Amino acid sequence: MSEIILKTEKLCKNFGGLKATDNISLDFERGKVHAILGPNGAGKTTLINLLSGELLPSSGRILFKGYDITDARPEKISRIGIGRSFQKTNILPGFSCLQNCWIGAQSCLMTSMRFFRPAKHLREVHRRADHALQLCGLSSKRNQIAATMSYGEQRQLEIAMMLATEPELLLLDEPLAGMGSEESQQVTELLKELAKEQTLILIEHDMDAVFSLADTITVMVDGAELETGNVDQIRNSKAVQDAYLGHDEEDAA
Amino acid sequence: MSDQKKPGISRRDILKGGAAAAGLATASSLIPTRFAIGGTAKVKVGILLPYTGTYAKLGTNIKDALQLRINENGGKLGGREVEYVNIDSEAAPPKASELTNKLIKKEQVDFLIGPVHSVVGMAMVKIARKADVITVIPNAGANGLTGSLCAPNIFRTSFSSYQPGFPAGQAMLEDGHKNVVVMYWNYGFGKETAAAFKSSFLAGGGNIVKEIPTPFPKVEFQAYLTEVAALKPDAVFTFYAGGGAVKFVKDYAAAGLNKTIPLYGAGFLTEGVTGAQGAAAEGVRTTLHYADSLDLPANHRFREAFMKATGNPADVYAVQGYDAGDLLIQGMAAVEGDVKAKAEMIKAMEGATIDSPRGKFTFSKAHNPIQDIYLREVVNGQNQVVRTVQKAVEDPAKGCKIG
Amino acid sequence: MHTVTRPIIIFLCICLVMLLLFPAVGSPFYTELVTRIMILSIFTISLDLLIGFTGLVSFGHAAFFGIGAYLLAILFNDVEHINYWWSLTLTLSMTGMAALVIGWLSIRTSGIYFIMLTLAFAQMCFYFFFESPHFGGDDGIFLMNKPEIMLGSRQLVDLENEHHYYYFVLAWLVGVYLFLSMILRAPFGHVLIAIKANEQRVRALGYSTPHYKLVSFVIAGTIAGLAGFLEAAHTSFVTPAYLGWHESGMAIMMVILGGMGTLFGPVIGTFIVVLLQDFLPGFTEHWKLIMGGIIIGVVLFLPNGVAGLIYSLTNRLSSKSKEAGREHV
Amino acid sequence: MESSFYLIQLLNGIQYGFLLFLLASGLTLIFGIMGIINLAHGAFYMIGAYLCYWLTGITGNLFTGILLAIPLSILFGYAVERLAISHLYKRDHLYQVLLTYALILIANELQSIFWGNDVHSVPIPELLKGAIQLTDNQAYPIYRLFISAACVVIAIAMYWVIQKTRLGMTIRAGASNREMVQALGININWLFAIVFSMGATLAALAGMLAAPVNTVYPGIGDNILIISFVVVVIGGIGSIKGAFIGALLIGLADTFGKVLLPEMASMVVYALMAAVLFWRPQGLFGKV
């Protein structure tokens, strides 16, 4: 077994009486793709928000490379190397594509409090931003204003911004949400590319994509962990089928 | 309150204003005042008074009375026609410098009249001193205006805060009140009035039980009145004006305090607001340089004329404006309309005796009126003179270096 | 994010030349009025850094204007020879400290609460000067002598001279404009603009946004203090009304009318509002009615202000050469 | 000072607090439910006071005056909402601040045109004219107690309307989720118009009730605006309960500040607000 990069211990989050995250203890391994599956309202996004510092847990601990980051705020989490993308497109609409990535690339380089030198003169920032755009296949759109791009491109930009911070661990909140099949295909390819070098924690609805990408899968129901295993284990799990498919039928009805 | 009416009104006003503005423009372009000394050109009188907001009523009365006095003189100053340039001061200190400059530099007025608000007065006088424009202050009472800021070209026809305050100490001692609570709005005017009151009251052997400054311009007095009731003084001396004066007098009476603790104040407490105060004001005694009921021929004449001209009853503010007009008339008559002869005109104005509705008065070396202060009592909504407390009260003009 | 296109640069240069030439043709009154407008412009530009670029709607910005003015008047009240550089440094550093404290306390909140908290602090400062027995209370305070700008033993600028002061203030206005456009072009400025666009995202990218907001608040407060300093040196008279919420409201009005999020917009807005205030009262006694109507018109029909109008005009003119002539702010 | 002194001050503070609640309740309603910062709140207060003065003068009775003034206020609030405010729902707070600021200017000018610049007073009806003797020399006017009672009645009525009626349910739902209410087939425009004119009418009603003790003069609206905002913010935006508690807190802080810290009386209230927000940035009962 390889190194554990991120670990949660008995993580809980309550909203009033509702247990959005219920006693989650998971290990995330370096270099792997760990997907989190679950029906709507299972608490997946809450979990990501806890990991990324948007929310503070009610109890439990989060350890990153052995350090306790339970109470860290989002900016701290990002600085130590955990990047996240958002489920709803969350870009800077008035900025150009490149500028969006710039903001990302700049953050961990400690040059952002510079007042006088124009941003475009910073070579290292430039390199990172370009690299992120290139990875996401947006190099040709670098000067386009983000708000004017297609939805799929904006989703790609969302990921590019995160990549520009050069994180060690990527938290991806439904990167394929709302995409057409062709766009979806593109992003899946991108994720596969990333998976070669990075550690990914992936929340996704799209079963096919998850099964083709993930090394490990955790299934959540009502805020709690139902089962964790590799693709085959999950595919064949009775409990998962009952819970997950059962819910799906309910949703359909 | 209708939104339908709004455009109609503004349109009419615009038309009216536009016509006036056009007339003004042609007049001033045809007759270049700067080169025409003597007969032909109009005398420009710049008026900086508040016509909006809390002090609007004061501004309007002063302006109307000033023009009334000049109209009685055939609408002329020193034989020359008069052109008024009216600017709304909004009683806004931050704008005071700009508006004063507008009158002096843009309109190039020969005389400056204003303002009501002391703080505006500070900024205005400072500029007027430098520009050497003859200025008549028809209200603003800050001591400093004819004190540390005094100048040969600055006159005041109203009062200094000292004047209504100082004699009040004597008046209250004479009425037999030894232990007194002093309440005032905690701002320049209130503080100066209270200080003047205290100096004479303490010197005469009085005892100040407590001094209660209340935040200006707030009108929540209930907590203070409870304090007064608990302190049980012989009487209360106050400084409040305008809406605050109405509220204070009514609250004082509503709390039943007027039955056991007589209320005194600087005259503004019951000036122009007795109608709104109603029965609550009955018996309140104040000191001021004027009273509506003064039995003087000049007063009767003035009140009648003012009522006829404006449809409103006159008040002390109107008197001050009226006297400002009189001062201009006397000054201009002495130089026969030659506004360039400043030194001569100032000399004439310094020596002027104003036959005012408040009684005749002359000017001190600092150019503030030397005037009688009356003790008045509200009877049937009228300020009736009880007695003249002190004759020819002169402001000590602390810090004034002229004369 | 606004970009300064070539036509805009040309437009700004024309404006600058007009301002440079104005005292030669303008009457003394208007020279002085424009001086005051330029001082207020420095103030509104600084507010725009908060409202238009950082997304912090401060409803108490006049406090810093007033504090700057008061500090000069209090600290150097009866000093005979006021050393300009020393008084400026002292005033600005103390205003900056005040902005740091107020900013630190306010930035914890956001949205409506931020608006109200900045208002509350401004009101506290207002009452502090208004009721304090030491600084003249509501009567305000005079500055007996004007600062002297010396270089060695030679007087560089005579502040008593209206023309000198005009160019002196103009130089400050241009200086502040260039300073802020430099900041906004630098990484720091990009982060500010990004915070306005989407704070949550910027935090998630690793920025400690409160720090950036605080630095922005302090810069804006200090520049507002500079404007207050210039005003106090100009009129030699400071009253608490400078800190009142009406002044803060008017400043917001100027920024929006001119066009927030552009640095030249607030300057245009300040010119328009002050000139309207100069012009309308001669028109009708109830001129505030018209002023109110104009404000409502701007809010409803011109949300991007005059600058927005200029942008859409120049964009139409230069739509073909748009890509070529673009430069980033 | 004896204890009765502090008891009377307590009464003063509570009474002032009730009045502040009346001022602030309309504001918090508009704030919380519509997300509108209504600087013109003071203008509605002023208009209420002037309407009361005007109509009481015509009818000769305060109560008929108020009864006639209420529908006028409702209409006025409705007109303002339709003509101006309704265009701002999707816009930044900044524009709301500005537009309602313009409404203040306009309202003040209209007041000056219609009613002039004099100080007026409104007579207290015979029925409520008396006073209750508290100590040997201080009495408490019955009309002040009447105002307090009216404030309590209005507070209870508001609580009842918002918690128990169908309209209240819709209003609460509209505050938390605009889309949902629309999805339920309720006309959100209509709902907002109702809420705004309700808020405006509450402000006007405060002006009417306070007119006999406060007198009516130009600029009264401006004086109460800021303090109302302070109450709303301390209590938590949108919370009626918060406004109630906040108003009482401010009423007491102001009263005892005046007695115990006379030098800083005006700053006490703002310091309290800053302290509360420092401790709870969303106010006492505000939602995060």
Side-chain angles (χ1 to χ4, degrees):
Chain A
M1 200 178 192
S2 62
E3 183 199 350
I4 306 292
I5 189 167
L6 188 75
K7 186 179 178 68
T8 66
E9 290 176 356
K10 297 182 176 170
L11 205 57
C12 294
K13 177 70 185 176
N14 306 330
F15 293 109
L18 182 75
K19 280 188 176 166
T21 304
D22 188 5
N23 218 16
I24 298 275
S25 298
L26 289 173
D27 292 341
F28 301 94
E29 288 174 59
R30 182 184 284 281
K32 295 283 171 60
V33 176
H34 192 139
I36 295 169
L37 271 176
N40 275 328
K44 305 183 301 276
T45 295
T46 306
L47 180 62
I48 284 266
N49 282 339
L50 289 171
L51 296 181
S52 68
E54 298 279 335
L55 295 173
L56 290 178
S58 308
S59 65
R61 290 210 303 165
I62 307 170
L63 301 171
F64 179 64
K65 296 198 281 193
Y67 295 102
D68 190 330
I69 57 162
T70 313
D71 298 325
R73 307 301 297 159
E75 60 268 26
K76 179 81 192 297
I77 301 268
S78 168
R79 289 235 192 98
I80 60 175
I82 302 176
R84 81 164 284 188
S85 74
F86 289 82
Q87 180 180 9
K88 281 186 183 159
T89 307
N90 207 348
I91 53 174
L92 307 168
F95 282 43
S96 75
C97 221
L98 182 61
Q99 282 169 328
N100 264 289
C101 291
W102 237 328
I103 295 290
Q106 221 175 235
S107 75
C108 38
L109 289 173
M110 300 313 288
T111 48
S112 308
M113 272 287 180
R114 279 205 189 168
F115 293 110
F116 300 116
R117 221 158 146 221
K120 56 181 159 183
H121 292 178
L122 299 166
R123 198 174 298 144
E124 175 60 15
V125 181
H126 216 130
R127 188 196 62 73
R128 284 188 176 202
D130 269 340
H131 183 66
L133 283 179
Q134 201 188 353
L135 273 177
C136 300
L138 290 170
S139 292
S140 60
K141 309 262 180 186
R142 61 210 307 273
N143 285 328
Q144 196 171 345
I145 299 295
T148 65
M149 302 199 305
S150 74
Y151 177 74
E153 286 165 345
Q154 289 186 6
R155 297 292 311 173
Q156 280 166 293
L157 179 58
E158 173 84 33
I159 294 170
M161 284 170 79
M162 171 186 61
L163 290 177
T165 65
E166 305 209 330
E168 274 181 73
L169 170 66
L170 280 62
L171 307 175
L172 296 154
D173 193 356
E174 300 204 21
L176 304 179
M179 282 192 175
S181 65
E182 197 177 317
E183 290 171 330
S184 179
Q185 194 60 44
Q186 266 180 359
V187 175
T188 311
E189 286 308 312
L190 167 63
L191 295 180
K192 271 185 184 154
E193 196 63 33
L194 293 175
K196 285 178 189 163
E197 291 172 15
Q198 316 269 27
T199 313
L200 271 61
I201 298 176
L202 175 70
I203 285 181
E204 190 47 67
H205 258 316
D206 186 330
M207 291 279 205
D208 294 339
V210 170
F211 287 142
S212 75
L213 278 167
D215 300 307
T216 315
I217 297 174
T218 296
V219 178
M220 284 178 72
V221 171
D222 296 332
E225 177 192 356
L226 185 70
E227 192 154 347
T228 300
N230 63 27
V231 175
D232 288 331
Q233 285 169 330
I234 296 297
R235 223 193 274 266
N236 299 322
S237 159
K238 183 81 176 61
V240 171
Q241 272 174 9
D242 282 355
Y244 201 75
L245 298 177
H247 267 279
D248 257 6
E249 274 160 25
E250 253 174 56
D251 279 353
Chain B
M1 286 240 346
S2 54
D3 281 85
Q4 293 100 352
K5 265 189 188 171
K6 184 181 73 191
I9 282 158
S10 55
R11 195 181 307 129
R12 198 177 67 217
D13 273 13
I14 288 166
L15 287 175
K16 202 168 66 186
L24 200 145
T26 46
S28 56
S29 61
L30 285 177
I31 311 160
T33 44
R34 202 188 304 183
F35 303 108
I37 299 168
T40 50
K42 287 185 172 178
V43 183
K44 268 196 168 183
V45 176
I47 305 177
L48 184 66
L49 292 169
Y51 302 121
T52 52
T54 318
Y55 295 104
K57 175 81 193 216
L58 280 60
T60 318
N61 274 2
I62 292 173
K63 183 195 75 177
D64 289 346
L66 172 85
Q67 293 179 354
L68 170 68
R69 181 67 191 96
I70 292 175
N71 287 340
E72 285 173 359
N73 196 39
K76 287 183 177 176
L77 286 174
R80 289 166 61 184
E81 296 281 338
V82 180
E83 178 189 330
Y84 301 100
V85 185
N86 261 305
I87 291 187
D88 180 6
S89 75
E90 302 168 51
K95 279 194 193 163
S97 300
E98 182 194 326
L99 296 176
T100 310
N101 268 322
K102 190 173 182 178
L103 286 172
I104 292 179
K105 295 199 171 147
K106 186 182 176 196
E107 303 290 346
Q108 305 195 330
V109 297
D110 300 306
F111 295 98
L112 202 53
I113 309 288
V116 162
H117 191 275
S118 283
V119 186
V120 175
M122 295 280 188
M124 183 174 133
V125 162
K126 184 134 176 130
I127 296 170
R129 275 161 60 115
K130 210 164 122 191
D132 199 25
V133 176
I134 293 184
T135 301
V136 181
I137 302 165
N139 189 64
N143 289 335
L145 292 175
T146 55
S148 56
L149 281 172
C150 77
N153 61 319
I154 310 291
F155 288 83
R156 175 151 63 189
T157 57
S158 50
F159 57 90
S160 68
S161 329
Y162 172 88
Q163 287 180 313
F166 186 80
Q170 189 189 329
M172 287 181 76
L173 286 169
E174 283 170 7
D175 286 0
H177 304 303
K178 282 253 172 206
N179 295 306
V180 164
V181 167
V182 183
M183 279 182 79
Y184 55 90
W185 256 344
N186 191 15
Y187 76 127
F189 199 175
K191 280 187 280 193
E192 286 182 2
T193 307
F197 166 78
K198 278 193 311 194
S199 66
S200 73
F201 187 69
L202 292 175
N207 171 37
I208 306 259
V209 180
K210 187 162 187 189
E211 190 175 333
I212 307 176
T214 72
F216 173 82
K218 302 225 172 93
V219 292
E220 270 305 318
F221 299 117
Q222 211 55 32
Y224 301 118
L225 294 178
T226 303
E227 218 172 335
V228 169
L231 289 166
K232 300 199 171 95
D234 297 345
V236 177
F237 176 79
T238 58
F239 174 89
Y240 293 101
V246 178
K247 178 89 174 11
F248 183 84
V249 168
K250 286 179 75 175
D251 283 0
Y252 196 83
L257 290 174
N258 58 346
K259 287 179 200 134
T260 50
I261 308 169
L263 181 61
Y264 283 74
F268 312 98
L269 190 64
T270 56
E271 201 53 41
V273 288
T274 44
Q277 285 161 337
E282 292 298 306
V284 175
R285 291 190 160 198
T286 57
T287 46
L288 198 66
H289 49 281
Y290 178 70
D292 296 349
S293 65
L294 270 182
D295 192 16
L296 297 168
N299 191 34
H300 296 312
R301 223 171 30 239
F302 164 68
R303 295 194 72 85
E304 200 174 307
F306 189 82
M307 177 58 100
K308 212 173 125 193
T310 65
N312 292 315
D315 56 13
V316 66
Y317 308 109
V319 170
Q320 294 163 175
Y322 189 75
D323 293 345
D326 198 77
L327 183 62
L328 292 189
I329 290 169
Q330 294 198 33
M332 282 294 273
V335 296
E336 290 169 346
D338 181 5
V339 292
K340 285 279 180 284
K342 264 195 192 127
E344 207 179 321
M345 181 150 47
I346 287 172
K347 208 154 178 291
M349 289 167 77
E350 280 174 336
T353 300
I354 309 283
D355 187 13
S356 165
R358 71 184 96 162
K360 285 191 178 142
F361 72 86
T362 56
F363 289 93
S364 69
K365 285 188 175 129
H367 297 174
N368 195 56
I370 301 175
Q371 52 194 343
D372 300 348
I373 300 295
Y374 308 100
L375 177 69
R376 308 117 26 106
E377 181 174 325
V378 179
V379 179
N380 294 328
Q382 277 267 331
N383 280 301
Q384 303 282 2
V385 178
V386 178
R387 61 176 183 273
T388 306
V389 181
Q390 210 176 336
K391 283 215 162 274
V393 179
E394 181 177 350
D395 182 79
K398 231 169 83 188
C400 178
K401 291 187 186 81
I402 57 169
Chain C
M1 194 174 189
H2 282 291
T3 52
V4 175
T5 53
R6 196 160 290 162
I8 298 285
I9 293 177
I10 295 170
F11 169 77
L12 290 177
C13 288
I14 293 173
C15 290
L16 181 62
V17 170
M18 278 164 61
L19 281 176
L20 280 170
L21 295 178
F22 183 75
V25 292
S27 68
F29 169 72
Y30 279 108
T31 306
E32 211 173 327
L33 187 65
V34 174
T35 307
R36 189 176 145 72
I37 295 176
M38 291 192 297
I39 293 174
L40 282 178
S41 298
I42 294 175
F43 173 52
T44 49
I45 287 186
S46 74
L47 180 61
D48 191 30
L49 177 67
L50 294 182
I51 292 182
F53 291 101
T54 320
L56 292 172
V57 181
S58 169
F59 200 1
H61 205 52
F64 302 112
F65 184 89
I67 289 174
Y70 258 107
L71 281 173
L72 176 64
I74 291 169
L75 295 175
F76 300 91
N77 185 255
D78 40 15
V79 179
E80 200 162 327
H81 295 287
I82 304 172
N83 180 316
Y84 176 80
W85 303 110
W86 165 234
S87 61
L88 181 72
T89 314
L90 196 63
T91 303
L92 292 196
S93 48
M94 287 177 73
T95 315
M97 288 299 291
L100 184 68
V101 174
I102 293 178
W104 184 73
L105 293 168
S106 311
I107 274 166
R108 302 158 35 91
T109 61
S110 60
I112 293 176
Y113 290 101
F114 181 81
I115 298 178
M116 297 317 299
L117 201 54
T118 46
L119 173 67
F121 281 117
Q123 286 295 105
M124 275 168 73
C125 295
F126 171 82
Y127 283 113
F128 175 75
F129 289 114
F130 194 90
E131 288 180 354
S132 157
H134 306 297
F135 309 128
D138 89 306
D139 278 349
I141 185 168
F142 283 108
L143 183 66
M144 293 307 163
N145 301 292
K146 293 201 174 187
E148 293 165 358
I149 307 176
M150 309 295 273
L151 200 70
S153 59
R154 225 177 107 255
Q155 190 172 33
L156 214 57
V157 182
D158 178 11
L159 294 189
E160 294 283 346
N161 179 316
E162 273 305 329
H163 281 191
H164 279 201
Y165 203 71
Y166 178 94
Y167 287 111
F168 181 67
V169 170
L170 179 58
W172 268 118
L173 176 61
V174 172
V176 165
Y177 184 94
L178 292 178
F179 172 76
L180 286 181
S181 60
M182 199 153 61
I183 282 186
L184 290 169
R185 213 178 291 206
F188 175 73
H190 280 232
V191 178
L192 290 190
I193 297 165
I195 287 174
K196 180 177 189 226
N198 190 340
E199 183 173 356
Q200 181 202 28
R201 183 52 159 149
V202 176
R203 285 191 89 171
L205 289 173
Y207 293 95
S208 175
T209 52
H211 288 135
Y212 286 85
K213 293 201 278 190
L214 184 57
V215 172
S216 168
F217 196 86
V218 171
I219 293 175
T222 311
I223 295 176
L226 168 70
F229 176 92
L230 292 171
E231 171 82 5
H234 184 46
T235 60
S236 305
F237 180 53
V238 185
T239 87
Y242 279 126
L243 295 89
W245 67 272
H246 273 283
E247 297 298 308
S248 296
M250 260 348 243
I252 294 179
M253 163 68 196
M254 291 169 184
V255 171
I256 294 185
L257 174 63
M260 61 172 179
T262 68
L263 283 176
F264 62 94
V267 183
I268 297 177
T270 312
F271 267 86
I272 294 177
V273 171
V274 177
L275 289 176
L276 276 177
Q277 282 174 347
D278 177 54
F279 168 73
L280 285 181
F283 222 48
T284 157
E285 196 177 307
H286 299 290
W287 62 277
K288 281 188 178 167
L289 206 60
I290 302 176
M291 196 75 190
I294 291 173
I295 299 177
I296 290 180
V298 168
V299 170
L300 294 184
F301 305 113
L302 209 62
N304 294 320
V306 177
L309 206 64
I310 293 175
Y311 266 112
S312 59
L313 280 177
T314 56
N315 280 349
R316 212 171 297 161
L317 287 175
S318 65
S319 54
K320 284 168 199 161
S321 56
K322 201 171 162 190
E323 283 303 315
R326 171 166 271 159
E327 209 196 321
H328 299 294
V329 170
Chain D
M1 297 272 168
E2 52 213 297
S3 60
S4 72
F5 171 76
Y6 290 102
L7 279 177
I8 297 174
Q9 294 295 23
L10 192 68
L11 179 68
N12 289 332
I14 290 173
Q15 199 264 330
Y16 183 42
F18 281 151
L19 193 64
L20 283 178
F21 167 73
L22 194 55
L23 287 176
S25 57
L27 196 60
T28 204
L29 203 64
I30 293 175
F31 240 3
I33 290 161
M34 302 165 65
I36 292 275
I37 297 187
N38 181 23
L39 287 188
H41 196 69
F44 289 117
Y45 174 86
M46 182 269 291
I47 286 166
Y50 269 95
L51 280 178
C52 177
Y53 151 71
W54 182 50
L55 293 169
T56 306
I58 290 174
T59 61
N61 183 306
L62 179 71
F63 297 116
T64 43
I66 289 180
L67 281 180
L68 287 172
I70 286 175
L72 283 178
S73 311
I74 293 174
L75 273 180
F76 186 70
Y78 180 75
V80 168
E81 198 273 343
R82 284 291 90 195
L83 292 175
I85 308 285
S86 61
H87 302 284
L88 293 183
Y89 291 136
K90 293 201 175 77
R91 302 271 287 276
D92 195 82
H93 290 317
L94 206 54
Y95 295 99
Q96 303 163 3
V97 167
L98 206 55
L99 184 125
T100 50
Y101 179 75
L103 289 177
I104 299 180
L105 296 183
I106 291 175
N108 282 346
E109 286 298 332
L110 289 178
Q111 164 260 312
S112 165
I113 291 170
F114 284 115
W115 289 297
N117 297 318
D118 282 325
V119 177
H120 298 289
S121 74
V122 179
I124 295 173
E126 279 306 320
L127 194 65
L128 301 171
K129 239 181 188 159
I132 297 164
Q133 202 66 29
L134 290 180
T135 61
D136 51 346
N137 63 354
Q138 193 183 11
Y140 212 81
I142 288 178
Y143 190 79
R144 275 184 183 268
L145 296 176
F146 165 72
I147 293 181
S148 297
C151 291
V152 172
V153 168
I154 289 166
I156 292 170
M158 274 179 79
Y159 178 83
W160 180 76
V161 167
I162 290 188
Q163 297 296 334
K164 307 280 174 196
T165 64
R166 200 180 143 70
L167 175 69
M169 268 170 55
T170 329
I171 287 174
R172 277 183 294 147
S176 52
N177 192 338
R178 223 165 274 188
E179 283 84 23
M180 192 189 80
V181 174
Q182 258 162 331
L184 289 175
I186 292 158
N187 186 344
I188 196 95
N189 289 334
W190 179 232
L191 180 69
F192 278 10
I194 289 177
V195 169
F196 190 85
S197 44
M198 249 171 84
T201 307
L202 280 169
L205 188 61
M208 295 172 209
L209 286 172
V213 282
N214 264 355
T215 69
V216 181
Y217 56 93
I220 38 169
D222 296 358
N223 293 342
I224 61 103
L225 175 66
I226 303 286
I227 194 76
S228 317
F229 271 97
V230 170
V231 168
V232 168
V233 169
I234 286 184
I237 289 166
S239 163
I240 300 284
K241 186 167 80 182
F244 193 78
I245 304 288
L248 283 178
L249 262 182
I250 292 282
L252 291 170
D254 186 74
T255 303
F256 284 98
K258 279 170 177 169
V259 177
L260 303 172
L261 292 166
E263 296 294 308
M264 306 168 49
S266 301
M267 283 168 70
V268 166
V269 166
Y270 299 101
L272 178 69
M273 166 168 166
V276 166
L277 288 194
F278 190 74
W279 169 56
R280 274 184 75 87
Q282 72 278 21
L284 292 176
F285 294 91
K287 279 171 267 175
V288 181

